[in-house]
């Protein structure tokens, strides 16, 4: 079935009017927009297929290049939040400074056995998925608790040596987030609330050397572990400079971020196998033999990418074609292989300011509020892509892992052909129609900015886009405001946002590229305005951005004066392999 096109547009791409909505401060009135916002609660698992992660023996694809095997030795050497990711409802981040490198090494030796590996996290995930499948519900009452660690460049110099620290080829890692802040478009005026000087951590005067990431299904266990590790760290002369709790939002908001949109849907599929056994892929392959896209996709819409995009020392993605790898990089000390760069950004979200903009932008353009908000993101609140359902949200699509990421932008999306999956009725939603002119999902939409999919960009072929992909590992912090009927002033003004974390093999070519080249640009990868979620304008002191909003009456250029996502801390780190911690950093 073809999706119905949104009404035809006039003067496509040519702004016919400039709209200046003026500044707006967070207030009770502004918060009303957030209270009235209708988000779609998560569906029960009934009728929704939950894939089990055991090997699908006939999933090998003739003609695809052989993928590296991450055997048990490799899996127990790679930190588990890099791959496959902790994905826990409760996380705690501890940021330390090193006072005494020798004593810091004792701490590292002490916690080494606690560091959670890829092997452990995959084993738990498989158990959890099969239990969830049996029970037909999310809550299996299975619990696990994980710990990971990462180091700044300065920490590596203190714990290893300057030569090794200098040998990390990523220039952004060398400089650190505070020095890259202005390049990222972060506020430079000292008076701005997002100025690095005001950051809780990671500013010019409070950079962290070590970050510990703790994650658990169980709040009490997480608290106990955080208390224990803080004590041990204190004994080892590690100064805690900042800590941040992150929690999945409660109730029907589970899995959604503070603006109310489901997050964590689209991730690259890391190529590689877990054993030489047929079909034992790190990222399970679900496309049927008859679907030619199974060479490139793990499940519909999930792009397969070579592991060297996320782990140093592994084969990287070719920019020439989607299928093939190029050789591993070598711009790092040998012991850094199987490690990954980690970007941490504490991004404060001003929910009233966002919904005030939505309400005023919708009123001025004549677009319904929920559609206007969805156009900013590129998905409806449930996670359903607007390109698949231009007419309105459908939570069942948002929750359908085999359909919610199945769309491309420039061409019609062909229906996918899946292997038989017990209990899955198939993807029966309308397929996305080509949106070359970005009439349905505008070029400025967050997901179109940071992942233009099949669209050629200023960088060339779409395959280049796959080298920009990141493994996102974020979690919200602070109390939700969305959907709260009568919020108190205290709740409206509470500090809330996203602990944004991502891993990659290059900070500069991946995270920074997405933020700076695409989100912060009104014209790249395509003309149409800034990314209204994370785009910043840091040029010549102006923070004003714009979006060219398509409407049936024509395209309106809407100025965005307020900022609703503000950096308030973070850091650039490196997450080494377990053996590198044991043999180099703790030695
Ligand atoms: Fe974004 N949001 O709620 O609007 N993001 N993001 N992000 N983001 C995504 O597909 C959001 C941020 C990416 O493959 C979704 O998982 C918010 C930064 C990428 O189609 C939603 C913040 C960067 C994707 C949000 C924020 C990115 C993505 C859709 C900050 C990198 C995958 C759900 C407060 C520079 C795109 C999903 C794809 C998706 C939101 C930050 C990147 C809803 C609120 C800093 C690569």
């Amino acid at each position: 079935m073809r999706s119905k096109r949104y009404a035809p547009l006039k003067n496509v791409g040519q702004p016919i009017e400039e709209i200046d909505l003026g500044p707006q401060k967070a207030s009770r009135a502004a918060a009303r927009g957030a209270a009235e916002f209708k988000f779609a609660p998560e569906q029960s698992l009934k009728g929704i297929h939950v894939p089990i992660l055991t090997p699908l023996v006939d999933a090998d694809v003739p003609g695809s290049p052989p993928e590296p095997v991450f055997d048990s030795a490799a899996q127990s050497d790679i930190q588990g939040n890099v791959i496959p990711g902790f994905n826990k409802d409760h996380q705690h981040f501890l940021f330390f400074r090193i006072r005494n490198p020798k004593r810091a090494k004792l701490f590292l030796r002490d916690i080494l056995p606690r560091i959670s590996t890829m092997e452990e996290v995959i084993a738990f995930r498989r158990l959890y998925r099969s239990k969830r499948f049996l029970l037909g519900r999310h809550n299996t009452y299975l619990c696990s608790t994980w710990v990971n660690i990462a180091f700044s460049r300065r920490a590596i110099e203190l714990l290893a040596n300057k030569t090794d620290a200098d040998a990390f080829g990523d220039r952004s890692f060398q400089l650190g987030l505070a020095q890259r802040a202005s390049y990222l478009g972060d506020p430079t005026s000292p008076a701005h609330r997002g100025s690095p000087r005001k950051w809780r951590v990671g500013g010019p005067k409070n950079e962290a050397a070590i970050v510990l990431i703790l994650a658990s299904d169980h709040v009490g266990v997480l608290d106990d572990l955080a208390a224990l590790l803080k004590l041990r760290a204190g004994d080892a002369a590690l100064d805690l400079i900042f800590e941040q709790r992150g929690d999945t939002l409660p109730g029907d908001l589970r899995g959604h971020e503070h603006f109310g949109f489901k997050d964590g849907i689209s991730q690259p599929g890391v190529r590689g196998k877990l054993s030489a056994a047929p079909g034992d892929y790190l990222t399970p392959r679900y496309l049927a033999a008859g679907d030619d896209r199974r060479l490139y996709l793990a499940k519909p819409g999930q792009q397969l990418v070579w592991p060297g995009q996320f782990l140093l020392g592994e084969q990287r993605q070719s920019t020439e074609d989607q299928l093939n790898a190029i050789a591993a990089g070598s711009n790092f000390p040998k012991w850094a292989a199987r490690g990954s760069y980690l970007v941490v950004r504490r991004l404060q979200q001003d929910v009233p300011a966002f919904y005030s903009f939505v309400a005023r932008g919708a009123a001025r353009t004549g677009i319904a509020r929920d559609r206007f908000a969805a156009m900013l993101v590129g998905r409806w609140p449930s996670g359903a892509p607007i390109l698949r359902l231009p007419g309105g949200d459908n939570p069942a699509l948002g929750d359908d892992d085999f359909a919610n990421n199945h769309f491309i932008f420039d061409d019609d999306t062909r229906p996918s052909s899946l292997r038989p999956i017990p209990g899955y009725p198939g993807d029966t939603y309308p397929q996305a129609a080509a949106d070359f002119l970005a009439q349905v999902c505008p070029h400025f939409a967050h997901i179109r900015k940071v992942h233009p999919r099949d669209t050629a960009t200023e960088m060339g072929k779409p395959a280049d886009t796959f080298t920009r992909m990141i493994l996102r590992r974020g979690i919200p912090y602070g109390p939700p405001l969305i959907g709260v009927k009568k919020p108190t002033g205290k709740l409206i003004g509470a500090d809330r946002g996203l602990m944004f974390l991502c891993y990659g093999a290059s900070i500069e070519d991946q995270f920074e590229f997405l933020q700076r080249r695409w989100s912060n640009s009104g014209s790249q990868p395509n003309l149409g305005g800034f990314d209204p979620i994370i785009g910043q304008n840091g040029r010549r002191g102006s923070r004003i951005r714009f979006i060219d909003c398509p409407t049936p009456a024509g395209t309106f250029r809407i100025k965005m004066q307020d900022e609703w996502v503000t950096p308030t801390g973070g850091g650039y780190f490196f997450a080494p392999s377990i053996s590198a911690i044991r043999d180099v950093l703790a030695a």
Side-chain angles (χ1 to χ4, degrees):
M1 206 196 324
R2 267 297 184 82
S3 61
K4 227 174 73 205
R5 281 284 177 84
Y6 187 40
L9 304 183
K10 296 179 192 149
N11 308 326
V12 171
Q14 296 294 315
I16 52 167
E17 194 187 316
E18 235 178 66
I19 300 178
D20 186 348
L21 300 170
Q24 167 101 19
K25 290 278 158 271
S27 66
R28 209 171 274 268
R32 212 171 297 132
E36 287 165 5
F37 177 72
K38 285 187 212 68
F39 56 85
E42 189 182 33
Q43 299 283 287
S44 87
L45 287 180
K46 216 161 170 249
I48 296 172
H49 178 75
V50 188
I52 313 183
L53 295 176
T54 41
L56 301 161
V57 277
D58 55 341
D60 284 334
V61 183
S64 61
E67 299 183 18
V69 175
F70 293 94
D71 59 12
S72 178
Q75 285 183 48
S76 56
D77 202 25
I78 295 166
Q79 295 202 51
N81 200 30
V82 185
I83 298 172
F86 288 163
N87 204 16
K88 290 286 177 209
D89 286 351
H90 309 285
Q91 302 195 19
H92 202 100
F93 304 90
L94 299 172
F95 296 86
F96 296 103
R97 200 178 270 154
I98 298 171
R99 226 182 320 135
N100 180 327
K102 275 202 183 126
R103 288 170 68 189
K105 282 174 185 279
L106 290 178
F107 174 77
L108 294 182
R109 265 175 262 162
D110 180 34
I111 66 155
L112 196 64
R114 288 186 198 277
I115 299 178
S116 313
T117 66
M118 173 179 176
E119 190 171 44
E120 292 164 349
V121 180
I122 288 178
F124 179 82
R125 246 194 204 195
R126 285 187 163 178
L127 173 69
Y128 171 76
R129 287 284 186 103
S130 57
K131 195 53 106 193
R132 202 167 79 156
F133 185 70
L134 284 175
L135 291 169
R137 55 183 65 236
H138 280 292
N139 200 346
T140 60
Y141 291 96
L142 288 174
C143 293
S144 64
T145 302
W146 309 125
V147 179
N148 265 189
I149 191 166
F151 302 83
S152 72
R153 185 225 170 266
R154 173 83 185 130
I156 291 172
E157 181 172 340
L158 290 174
L159 297 168
N161 56 63
K162 184 170 181 314
T163 316
D164 280 10
D166 287 345
F168 281 84
D170 194 87
R171 196 168 147 65
S172 311
F173 177 65
Q174 289 290 337
L175 294 170
L177 177 59
Q179 279 209 53
R180 295 296 276 180
S182 59
Y183 176 82
L184 293 173
D186 293 351
T188 46
S189 155
H192 196 290
R193 69 181 195 284
S195 157
R197 291 176 199 211
K198 293 189 177 163
W199 286 1
R200 312 285 208 285
V201 63
K205 296 215 168 106
N206 57 354
E207 282 186 0
I210 291 180
V211 58
L212 280 185
I213 302 163
L214 321 183
S216 182
D217 299 293
H218 194 289
V219 177
V221 174
L222 184 63
D223 289 344
D224 287 354
L225 181 65
L228 174 79
L229 293 180
K230 280 193 276 183
L231 265 182
R232 295 275 170 90
D235 291 346
L238 292 176
D239 294 332
L240 181 70
I241 51 177
F242 182 66
E243 62 186 307
Q244 179 67 60
R245 180 58 175 267
D247 295 287
T248 301
L249 300 186
D252 288 341
L253 281 170
R254 191 170 192 274
H256 296 231
E257 51 67 59
H258 279 291
F259 295 146
F261 291 81
K262 190 163 180 180
D263 205 356
I265 298 170
S266 180
Q267 296 276 14
V270 184
R271 284 191 191 268
K273 298 187 77 174
L274 295 176
S275 70
D280 195 6
Y281 286 104
L282 171 56
T283 312
R285 314 291 158 93
Y286 292 104
L287 270 73
D291 196 319
D292 54 348
R293 289 164 296 186
R294 73 189 183 131
L295 286 165
Y296 317 107
L297 302 178
K299 63 182 180 187
Q302 188 179 34
Q303 187 64 44
L304 286 165
V305 175
W306 288 85
Q309 294 305 123
F310 314 106
L311 291 173
L312 300 189
E314 299 291 333
Q315 288 170 287
R316 292 170 298 170
Q317 179 65 40
S318 162
T319 48
E320 291 304 309
D321 71 88
Q322 298 181 33
L323 189 58
N324 290 314
I326 56 167
S330 57
N331 58 345
F332 48 84
K334 272 211 171 70
W335 56 261
R338 291 183 181 155
S340 186
Y341 291 108
L342 165 67
V343 173
V344 179
R345 298 269 278 172
R346 185 182 191 273
L347 298 171
Q348 193 175 65
Q349 289 176 255
D350 186 338
V351 178
F354 178 75
Y355 277 102
S356 160
F357 174 73
V358 168
R360 291 174 302 142
R364 287 294 297 272
T365 52
I367 300 173
R369 264 203 273 175
D370 59 344
R371 169 184 297 282
F372 189 81
M375 285 166 79
L376 302 179
V377 175
R379 290 184 184 271
W380 297 100
S382 76
I386 52 174
L387 213 51
R388 292 206 65 173
L389 289 178
D393 201 354
N394 179 350
L397 172 56
D399 279 346
D400 185 333
D401 283 356
F402 292 108
N404 63 13
N405 206 23
H406 180 51
F407 61 97
I408 52 176
F409 292 117
D410 279 6
D411 281 317
D412 289 345
T413 308
R414 285 180 284 135
S416 50
S417 169
L418 289 173
R419 301 151 52 80
I421 299 168
Y424 184 61
D427 176 351
T428 50
Y429 306 95
Q431 295 298 332
D435 188 33
F436 185 71
L437 296 174
Q439 301 177 18
V440 177
C441 183
H443 282 308
F444 59 73
H446 177 55
I447 64 160
R448 197 162 183 168
K449 274 281 184 192
V450 290
H451 186 192
R453 298 182 184 233
D454 58 322
T455 311
T457 71
E458 84 283 14
M459 303 304 291
K461 298 179 188 177
D464 177 80
T465 297
F466 309 136
T467 66
R468 312 292 170 186
M469 297 183 93
I470 48 178
L471 295 172
R472 288 178 299 137
R473 303 288 183 241
I475 187 163
Y477 72 87
L481 180 63
I482 196 92
V484 177
K485 288 287 170 266
K486 286 188 180 153
T488 60
K490 199 171 159 212
L491 182 66
I492 294 170
D495 184 9
R496 60 176 63 80
L498 183 72
M499 279 302 281
F500 173 87
L501 275 78
C502 74
Y503 291 96
S506 164
I507 295 175
E508 193 172 4
D509 294 340
Q510 292 168 283
F511 163 73
E512 284 193 346
F513 182 93
L514 297 180
Q515 176 73 57
R516 149 106 193 172
R517 288 290 292 268
W518 287 348
S519 292
N520 290 2
S521 165
S523 53
Q524 289 169 333
N526 288 103
L527 285 171
F530 288 66
D531 177 336
I533 304 298
I534 60 166
Q536 307 192 86
N537 186 359
R539 285 178 204 159
R540 293 182 290 277
S542 161
R543 307 286 305 162
I544 297 174
R545 296 97 66 222
F546 69 87
I547 50 172
D548 286 338
C549 188
T551 79
T555 301
F556 292 87
R557 175 159 294 186
I558 307 177
K559 262 199 200 175
M560 298 182 290
Q561 297 206 19
D562 302 331
E563 294 178 82
W564 35 85
V565 171
T566 305
T568 53
Y572 286 166
F573 300 94
F574 181 71
S577 67
I578 313 281
S579 57
I581 301 171
R582 186 189 57 227
D583 301 339
V584 180
L585 299 172

mmCIF file of all heavy atoms in Angstrom, residues 345-369:
data_model
loop_
_atom_site.group_PDB
_atom_site.id
_atom_site.type_symbol
_atom_site.label_atom_id
_atom_site.label_comp_id
_atom_site.label_asym_id
_atom_site.label_seq_id
_atom_site.Cartn_x
_atom_site.Cartn_y
_atom_site.Cartn_z
ATOM 1 N N ARG A 345 28.027 14.025 26.731
ATOM 2 C CA ARG A 345 27.485 15.391 26.734
ATOM 3 C C ARG A 345 26.284 15.414 27.660
ATOM 4 O O ARG A 345 25.337 14.636 27.497
ATOM 5 C CB ARG A 345 27.013 15.793 25.329
ATOM 6 C CG ARG A 345 28.097 15.827 24.283
ATOM 7 C CD ARG A 345 28.726 17.189 24.169
ATOM 8 N NE ARG A 345 27.949 18.100 23.347
ATOM 9 C CZ ARG A 345 28.253 19.391 23.245
ATOM 10 N NH1 ARG A 345 29.263 19.919 23.916
ATOM 11 N NH2 ARG A 345 27.533 20.176 22.455
ATOM 12 N N ARG A 346 26.357 16.301 28.645
ATOM 13 C CA ARG A 346 25.179 16.487 29.508
ATOM 14 C C ARG A 346 24.354 17.589 28.850
ATOM 15 O O ARG A 346 24.772 18.751 28.847
ATOM 16 C CB ARG A 346 25.626 16.881 30.918
ATOM 17 C CG ARG A 346 24.493 16.985 31.912
ATOM 18 C CD ARG A 346 25.044 17.426 33.264
ATOM 19 N NE ARG A 346 24.068 17.318 34.335
ATOM 20 C CZ ARG A 346 23.197 18.268 34.650
ATOM 21 N NH1 ARG A 346 23.154 19.404 33.964
ATOM 22 N NH2 ARG A 346 22.347 18.099 35.647
ATOM 23 N N LEU A 347 23.233 17.190 28.250
ATOM 24 C CA LEU A 347 22.436 18.151 27.476
ATOM 25 C C LEU A 347 21.147 18.464 28.228
ATOM 26 O O LEU A 347 20.281 17.599 28.396
ATOM 27 C CB LEU A 347 22.130 17.582 26.086
ATOM 28 C CG LEU A 347 23.365 17.298 25.218
ATOM 29 C CD1 LEU A 347 22.991 16.541 23.943
ATOM 30 C CD2 LEU A 347 24.095 18.594 24.864
ATOM 31 N N GLN A 348 21.063 19.699 28.704
ATOM 32 C CA GLN A 348 19.879 20.112 29.464
ATOM 33 C C GLN A 348 18.751 20.416 28.484
ATOM 34 O O GLN A 348 18.979 21.071 27.462
ATOM 35 C CB GLN A 348 20.234 21.365 30.241
ATOM 36 C CG GLN A 348 19.245 21.731 31.300
ATOM 37 C CD GLN A 348 19.758 22.920 32.100
ATOM 38 O OE1 GLN A 348 19.897 24.011 31.550
ATOM 39 N NE2 GLN A 348 20.050 22.711 33.361
ATOM 40 N N GLN A 349 17.557 19.940 28.785
ATOM 41 C CA GLN A 349 16.418 20.174 27.892
ATOM 42 C C GLN A 349 15.404 21.099 28.558
ATOM 43 O O GLN A 349 14.967 20.841 29.681
ATOM 44 C CB GLN A 349 15.754 18.833 27.541
ATOM 45 C CG GLN A 349 16.599 17.981 26.619
ATOM 46 C CD GLN A 349 15.978 16.615 26.358
ATOM 47 O OE1 GLN A 349 16.429 15.626 26.894
ATOM 48 N NE2 GLN A 349 14.940 16.574 25.540
ATOM 49 N N ASP A 350 15.057 22.172 27.850
ATOM 50 C CA ASP A 350 14.053 23.103 28.337
ATOM 51 C C ASP A 350 12.734 22.733 27.640
ATOM 52 O O ASP A 350 12.444 23.188 26.526
ATOM 53 C CB ASP A 350 14.503 24.535 27.988
ATOM 54 C CG ASP A 350 13.580 25.572 28.596
ATOM 55 O OD1 ASP A 350 12.422 25.239 28.916
ATOM 56 O OD2 ASP A 350 14.015 26.735 28.741
ATOM 57 N N VAL A 351 11.970 21.896 28.338
ATOM 58 C CA VAL A 351 10.747 21.348 27.733
ATOM 59 C C VAL A 351 9.704 22.450 27.480
ATOM 60 O O VAL A 351 9.118 22.504 26.395
ATOM 61 C CB VAL A 351 10.198 20.190 28.610
ATOM 62 C CG1 VAL A 351 8.906 19.627 28.035
ATOM 63 C CG2 VAL A 351 11.256 19.085 28.723
ATOM 64 N N PRO A 352 9.471 23.369 28.445
ATOM 65 C CA PRO A 352 8.511 24.450 28.158
ATOM 66 C C PRO A 352 8.928 25.284 26.946
ATOM 67 O O PRO A 352 8.086 25.626 26.110
ATOM 68 C CB PRO A 352 8.537 25.302 29.424
ATOM 69 C CG PRO A 352 8.969 24.374 30.496
ATOM 70 C CD PRO A 352 9.920 23.410 29.854
ATOM 71 N N ALA A 353 10.216 25.597 26.818
ATOM 72 C CA ALA A 353 10.653 26.414 25.670
ATOM 73 C C ALA A 353 10.406 25.660 24.363
ATOM 74 O O ALA A 353 9.959 26.247 23.367
ATOM 75 C CB ALA A 353 12.140 26.754 25.798
ATOM 76 N N PHE A 354 10.644 24.353 24.369
ATOM 77 C CA PHE A 354 10.429 23.558 23.154
ATOM 78 C C PHE A 354 8.952 23.577 22.770
ATOM 79 O O PHE A 354 8.593 23.839 21.623
ATOM 80 C CB PHE A 354 10.911 22.111 23.392
ATOM 81 C CG PHE A 354 10.695 21.187 22.225
ATOM 82 C CD1 PHE A 354 11.505 21.261 21.105
ATOM 83 C CD2 PHE A 354 9.685 20.229 22.247
ATOM 84 C CE1 PHE A 354 11.322 20.401 20.017
ATOM 85 C CE2 PHE A 354 9.489 19.374 21.165
ATOM 86 C CZ PHE A 354 10.310 19.463 20.051
ATOM 87 N N TYR A 355 8.069 23.340 23.774
ATOM 88 C CA TYR A 355 6.647 23.276 23.435
ATOM 89 C C TYR A 355 6.037 24.646 23.179
ATOM 90 O O TYR A 355 5.041 24.761 22.460
ATOM 91 C CB TYR A 355 5.872 22.444 24.474
ATOM 92 C CG TYR A 355 6.036 20.997 24.068
ATOM 93 C CD1 TYR A 355 6.931 20.163 24.709
ATOM 94 C CD2 TYR A 355 5.382 20.525 22.938
ATOM 95 C CE1 TYR A 355 7.143 18.880 24.263
ATOM 96 C CE2 TYR A 355 5.596 19.237 22.477
ATOM 97 C CZ TYR A 355 6.469 18.417 23.141
ATOM 98 O OH TYR A 355 6.681 17.164 22.676
ATOM 99 N N SER A 356 6.659 25.662 23.739
ATOM 100 C CA SER A 356 6.205 27.003 23.417
ATOM 101 C C SER A 356 6.517 27.284 21.935
ATOM 102 O O SER A 356 5.687 27.820 21.199
ATOM 103 C CB SER A 356 6.930 27.985 24.339
ATOM 104 O OG SER A 356 6.875 29.254 23.798
ATOM 105 N N PHE A 357 7.700 26.866 21.506
ATOM 106 C CA PHE A 357 8.057 27.040 20.095
ATOM 107 C C PHE A 357 7.117 26.221 19.207
ATOM 108 O O PHE A 357 6.636 26.705 18.179
ATOM 109 C CB PHE A 357 9.511 26.608 19.866
ATOM 110 C CG PHE A 357 9.907 26.612 18.418
ATOM 111 C CD1 PHE A 357 10.104 27.813 17.742
ATOM 112 C CD2 PHE A 357 10.044 25.421 17.716
ATOM 113 C CE1 PHE A 357 10.440 27.822 16.391
ATOM 114 C CE2 PHE A 357 10.389 25.425 16.365
ATOM 115 C CZ PHE A 357 10.584 26.628 15.705
ATOM 116 N N VAL A 358 6.843 24.995 19.637
ATOM 117 C CA VAL A 358 5.944 24.141 18.846
ATOM 118 C C VAL A 358 4.580 24.809 18.712
ATOM 119 O O VAL A 358 4.021 24.902 17.605
ATOM 120 C CB VAL A 358 5.805 22.734 19.504
ATOM 121 C CG1 VAL A 358 4.664 21.938 18.872
ATOM 122 C CG2 VAL A 358 7.124 21.961 19.389
ATOM 123 N N ALA A 359 4.038 25.303 19.838
ATOM 124 C CA ALA A 359 2.697 25.895 19.810
ATOM 125 C C ALA A 359 2.663 27.120 18.897
ATOM 126 O O ALA A 359 1.773 27.280 18.056
ATOM 127 C CB ALA A 359 2.270 26.273 21.223
ATOM 128 N N ARG A 360 3.680 27.980 19.018
ATOM 129 C CA ARG A 360 3.670 29.216 18.235
ATOM 130 C C ARG A 360 3.992 28.955 16.767
ATOM 131 O O ARG A 360 3.389 29.535 15.865
ATOM 132 C CB ARG A 360 4.642 30.221 18.853
ATOM 133 C CG ARG A 360 4.119 30.729 20.210
ATOM 134 C CD ARG A 360 5.100 31.615 20.931
ATOM 135 N NE ARG A 360 6.363 30.950 21.175
ATOM 136 C CZ ARG A 360 7.549 31.536 21.102
ATOM 137 N NH1 ARG A 360 7.634 32.815 20.784
ATOM 138 N NH2 ARG A 360 8.635 30.866 21.352
ATOM 139 N N GLY A 361 4.933 28.029 16.534
ATOM 140 C CA GLY A 361 5.280 27.692 15.147
ATOM 141 C C GLY A 361 4.095 27.036 14.445
ATOM 142 O O GLY A 361 3.806 27.326 13.276
ATOM 143 N N ALA A 362 3.382 26.171 15.185
ATOM 144 C CA ALA A 362 2.234 25.484 14.592
ATOM 145 C C ALA A 362 1.142 26.504 14.262
ATOM 146 O O ALA A 362 0.561 26.491 13.176
ATOM 147 C CB ALA A 362 1.722 24.422 15.564
ATOM 148 N N ALA A 363 0.894 27.418 15.205
ATOM 149 C CA ALA A 363 -0.170 28.410 14.990
ATOM 150 C C ALA A 363 0.151 29.273 13.771
ATOM 151 O O ALA A 363 -0.718 29.543 12.936
ATOM 152 C CB ALA A 363 -0.336 29.272 16.240
ATOM 153 N N ARG A 364 1.392 29.695 13.638
ATOM 154 C CA ARG A 364 1.742 30.602 12.531
ATOM 155 C C ARG A 364 1.762 29.918 11.166
ATOM 156 O O ARG A 364 1.537 30.541 10.132
ATOM 157 C CB ARG A 364 3.105 31.245 12.796
ATOM 158 C CG ARG A 364 3.076 32.303 13.890
ATOM 159 C CD ARG A 364 2.234 33.513 13.490
ATOM 160 N NE ARG A 364 2.782 34.209 12.340
ATOM 161 C CZ ARG A 364 3.676 35.159 12.380
ATOM 162 N NH1 ARG A 364 4.125 35.570 13.562
ATOM 163 N NH2 ARG A 364 4.141 35.733 11.289
ATOM 164 N N THR A 365 2.060 28.618 11.159
ATOM 165 C CA THR A 365 2.136 27.922 9.866
ATOM 166 C C THR A 365 0.834 27.206 9.528
ATOM 167 O O THR A 365 0.661 26.699 8.423
ATOM 168 C CB THR A 365 3.260 26.860 9.890
ATOM 169 O OG1 THR A 365 3.065 26.037 11.047
ATOM 170 C CG2 THR A 365 4.631 27.490 9.931
ATOM 171 N N GLY A 366 -0.058 27.092 10.527
ATOM 172 C CA GLY A 366 -1.321 26.395 10.274
ATOM 173 C C GLY A 366 -1.168 24.882 10.306
ATOM 174 O O GLY A 366 -2.059 24.143 9.877
ATOM 175 N N ILE A 367 -0.042 24.422 10.819
ATOM 176 C CA ILE A 367 0.166 22.971 10.931
ATOM 177 C C ILE A 367 -0.293 22.543 12.332
ATOM 178 O O ILE A 367 -0.084 23.269 13.301
ATOM 179 C CB ILE A 367 1.670 22.628 10.755
ATOM 180 C CG1 ILE A 367 2.155 23.094 9.380
ATOM 181 C CG2 ILE A 367 1.939 21.149 10.948
ATOM 182 C CD1 ILE A 367 3.665 22.962 9.182
ATOM 183 N N ALA A 368 -0.901 21.360 12.420
ATOM 184 C CA ALA A 368 -1.328 20.881 13.745
ATOM 185 C C ALA A 368 -0.093 20.738 14.634
ATOM 186 O O ALA A 368 0.990 20.409 14.154
ATOM 187 C CB ALA A 368 -2.047 19.545 13.607
ATOM 188 N N ARG A 369 -0.314 20.946 15.937
ATOM 189 C CA ARG A 369 0.827 20.958 16.853
ATOM 190 C C ARG A 369 1.593 19.635 16.882
ATOM 191 O O ARG A 369 2.818 19.617 16.880
ATOM 192 C CB ARG A 369 0.335 21.269 18.261
ATOM 193 C CG ARG A 369 0.462 22.747 18.579
ATOM 194 C CD ARG A 369 0.511 22.951 20.055
ATOM 195 N NE ARG A 369 -0.853 23.066 20.586
ATOM 196 C CZ ARG A 369 -1.133 23.155 21.877
ATOM 197 N NH1 ARG A 369 -0.164 23.093 22.762
ATOM 198 N NH2 ARG A 369 -2.374 23.285 22.288
#
